Amino acid sequence: MSKEDPAVEQLKKDLFYEAKHASDLMSDDELRAADEFCEGYKAFLNKARTERECAAEAIRLAEENGFTEFDPDQSYFPGDKIWYCERGKAVILCVIGRLKCTEGVRIAAAHIDSPRLDLKPNPLYESSDIGYFKTHYYGGIKKYQWTCIPLSLHGVVVRSDGAEITVSIGDEPDEPKFVISDLLPHLAASQMKRTLSEGVKGEELNIIIGSRKYSGYDGKDAVKLAVMSILNEKYGITEKDFVSAELEAVPAFKADDIGFDRSLIGAYGHDDRVDAYPELIAALDVEMPEKTVVAVLTDKEEIGSEGNTGLQGAYLKYFIWDLARTDGLDGFDVLAMSECLSADVNAAYDPTFPEVFDKQNSSYLNRGVTVTKYTGSRGKSSSNDASAEFVGKVTRLFDSKSVCWQTGELGKVDEGGGGTVAKYIADLGADVVDIGVPVLSMHSPYELVAKSDIYSAYRAIYEFFMQQ
Ligand code: MN
Ligand code: MN
């Protein structure tokens, strides 16, 4: 047989598998729809910089779309739309299905917390006439990436009088920003000999917040006093109130189109708002589903899903138990029959660093939403490891609805690894598989994703919610 035998080429097409590029799979109209969808995503990113702000924005959009707050003492009927919020940091959107929830519910879960720098409980100090905030980083970061970039500050301070003050400063054009300094190369000879992980140390991530002395005062801590008086004037707080605060420094970059073709988006917080937003919009678009739809936007994934707003907490389980009770049913009957897409990002293949990826088991930009059978590290440790049956069911659905999808595992065997919320929902008895958008430069202050993949994630989650 010659090399170009058309019969052989056809046979290879029939027998071999490789995920196709979105440009080959999606029509021009669909790519335009993806671009349009991503305008909404960029606006969401620019507005919602933290888990609290994401939760508030999700509730605002939900109410705009006919959702009302969940009341466990009320009865709900097919088509009803409800939202539930866990302590301001995690949200569940729910659309009641035609079938009783003993038939199971359809869950999608993405996280809305992202790696960042949290202020320490006693953060304020001055050194050589410069005012600083001390930080403790949240989630896995490469610390050197967080110096010399503009930062904004978000969160809440609970004052000694009990008042809760909301803080958001540094993202509007007329607002001041904050920054962490790094050494000039001229004097970095010793620093350059440090390993990359120690290049900038945790205790060196100190944020510059001021440099003028309190007017007319030349004594000790004059800069600290000047900063504290501004904060007192603006927010009515004293230094002690930082103890009862959650203030997060995040990159002050806006979301931008990247590339001459505008096919990519560069932004802070794609992990995991790039899955949370498609999930949110899919839940808003659902009308009268067969099975009840439960869209979870959770907190604390980046530090192991711990705490009462993370998915190791009980709030999802209790929500479903409450929901079951409104139907006169038991919650555990519902969970065992339920199915879940755990929506989180995967590492996109990076041609500049090919050595850490298994080329034929990596996800790629622009090949659609990634179906990830297992996560974990060192022999799949701490992974959900979805069943062949459930992966088969989900991928058949995606194929039947022409959803652009690919498969991928996070890096080569023993190169590292990572986890998602999948295993915590599987612990409740549901069938779970990971899906999500591939990301370049994950956990950096400016992550990169492809618009076609974001739209594919939206379509995947919507079709999962609406399947018969
Ligand atoms: Mn994630
Ligand atoms: Mn992450």
Side-chain angles (χ1 to χ4, degrees):
M1 273 184 280
S2 82
K3 242 181 172 171
E4 287 88 28
D5 187 324
V8 175
E9 291 307 314
Q10 187 55 48
L11 190 63
K12 284 167 81 175
K13 238 183 218 166
D14 293 344
L15 297 183
F16 288 2
Y17 167 65
E18 192 179 19
K20 290 195 176 67
H21 194 279
S23 304
D24 301 326
L25 274 184
M26 290 163 74
S27 66
D28 287 347
D29 279 349
E30 214 178 355
L31 286 170
R32 257 193 299 279
D35 292 349
E36 209 169 293
F37 183 85
C38 287
E39 291 304 306
Y41 175 51
K42 287 188 288 179
F44 178 83
L45 281 179
N46 290 341
K47 200 165 178 189
R49 318 288 292 155
T50 64
E51 67 284 9
R52 284 176 193 267
E53 292 176 4
C54 285
E57 181 64 5
I59 292 168
R60 192 186 68 78
L61 289 169
E63 293 209 319
E64 233 176 61
N65 284 270
F67 284 68
T68 56
E69 187 170 6
F70 178 54
D71 174 358
D73 296 324
Q74 208 182 306
S75 296
Y76 290 100
F77 302 97
D80 283 354
K81 300 176 172 194
I82 48 188
W83 63 263
Y84 169 81
C85 184
E86 183 65 29
R87 293 170 161 88
K89 300 179 189 177
V91 172
I92 297 174
L93 302 188
C94 174
V95 184
I96 307 296
R98 261 194 291 260
L99 298 174
K100 287 235 173 214
C101 50
T102 28
E103 304 294 320
V105 298
R106 293 213 165 94
I107 306 167
H111 66 93
I112 48 178
D113 62 318
S114 297
R116 61 183 189 246
L117 305 175
D118 286 346
L119 297 202
K120 290 193 184 193
N122 191 13
L124 181 61
Y125 72 102
E126 98 167 59
S127 183
S128 303
D129 301 332
I130 302 177
Y132 289 97
F133 277 151
K134 284 172 167 281
T135 67
H136 193 140
Y137 63 96
Y138 171 99
I141 60 166
K142 292 164 95 174
K143 286 161 231 150
Y144 69 88
Q145 293 179 333
W146 293 69
T147 65
C148 308
I149 57 167
L151 300 169
S152 60
L153 204 62
H154 299 257
V156 298
V157 184
V158 177
R159 276 191 328 220
S160 50
D161 62 0
E164 183 169 327
I165 311 299
T166 301
V167 174
S168 170
I169 182 164
D171 278 314
E172 297 307 317
D174 58 337
E175 288 176 348
K177 299 179 194 333
F178 309 93
V179 74
I180 295 166
S181 65
D182 195 2
L183 266 183
L184 62 167
H186 317 63
L187 295 177
S190 311
Q191 185 198 28
M192 298 292 233
K193 292 198 184 95
R194 297 182 188 177
T195 60
L196 204 50
S197 70
E198 290 276 291
V200 172
K201 298 175 187 173
E203 287 291 347
E204 292 168 343
L205 292 174
N206 301 315
I207 302 174
I208 294 175
I209 54 166
S211 66
R212 273 196 193 157
K213 294 184 179 184
Y214 188 78
S215 176
Y217 179 64
D218 195 28
K220 190 177 176 291
D221 285 338
V223 173
K224 177 177 166 178
L225 181 63
V227 167
M228 201 59 244
S229 359
I230 293 170
L231 290 173
N232 182 262
E233 196 178 308
K234 196 170 163 66
Y235 304 112
I237 62 172
T238 66
E239 189 179 12
K240 191 183 170 196
D241 295 331
F242 285 119
V243 175
S244 48
E246 287 180 313
L247 291 170
E248 309 174 7
V250 302
F253 306 138
K254 295 280 179 209
D256 297 304
D257 289 346
I258 299 287
F260 290 113
D261 59 3
R262 297 177 168 263
S263 59
L264 308 168
I265 300 175
Y268 162 69
H270 284 315
D271 179 6
D272 186 32
R273 293 159 199 165
V274 75
D275 296 297
Y277 180 79
E279 180 191 308
L280 167 64
I281 301 303
L284 299 184
D285 287 351
V286 158
E287 294 290 347
M288 200 61 80
E290 190 78 350
K291 291 187 179 177
T292 295
V293 160
V294 176
V296 186
L297 305 174
T298 195
D299 182 31
K300 293 286 184 281
E301 193 280 337
E302 294 295 357
I303 57 167
S305 298
E306 317 282 349
N308 53 15
T309 54
L311 276 178
Q312 291 209 62
Y315 76 89
L316 172 60
K317 185 167 69 182
Y318 288 172
F319 175 81
I320 288 178
W321 285 13
D322 281 342
L323 199 63
R325 204 178 316 117
T326 64
D327 252 350
L329 304 166
D330 278 326
F332 50 85
D333 288 334
V334 177
L335 282 161
M337 294 294 289
S338 294
E339 295 177 338
C340 172
L341 297 182
S342 161
D344 205 344
V345 296
N346 202 325
Y349 180 83
D350 188 336
T352 304
F353 302 100
E355 61 278 6
V356 302
F357 295 95
D358 169 13
K359 241 186 142 168
Q360 75 174 58
N361 283 286
S362 290
S363 57
Y364 291 79
L365 293 181
N366 282 305
R367 292 193 196 176
V369 65
T370 307
V371 176
T372 304
K373 185 178 183 300
Y374 51 86
T375 59
S377 53
R378 291 163 285 100
K380 302 190 179 179
S381 180
S382 295
S383 167
N384 161 57
D385 207 357
S387 70
E389 290 85 348
F390 191 53
V391 175
K393 192 173 176 188
V394 166
T395 53
R396 280 197 306 279
L397 170 73
F398 292 171
D399 280 337
S400 73
K401 299 294 178 184
S402 304
V403 172
C404 191
W405 69 273
Q406 58 182 324
T407 188
E409 102 171 71
L410 199 150
K412 276 184 178 166
V413 177
D414 288 342
E415 197 66 55
T420 66
V421 301
K423 61 176 179 168
Y424 306 117
I425 297 171
D427 283 348
L428 301 175
D431 269 318
V432 188
V433 66
D434 278 294
I435 63 133
V437 173
V439 181
L440 277 183
S441 313
M442 194 198 291
H443 282 207
S444 79
Y446 199 71
E447 303 172 314
L448 206 55
V449 293
K451 291 179 178 177
S452 64
D453 298 332
I454 302 172
Y455 188 62
S456 301
Y458 160 75
R459 290 211 52 232
I461 298 169
Y462 178 78
E463 296 299 349
F464 172 75
F465 282 160
M466 287 304 287
Q467 65 184 301
Q468 293 302 301

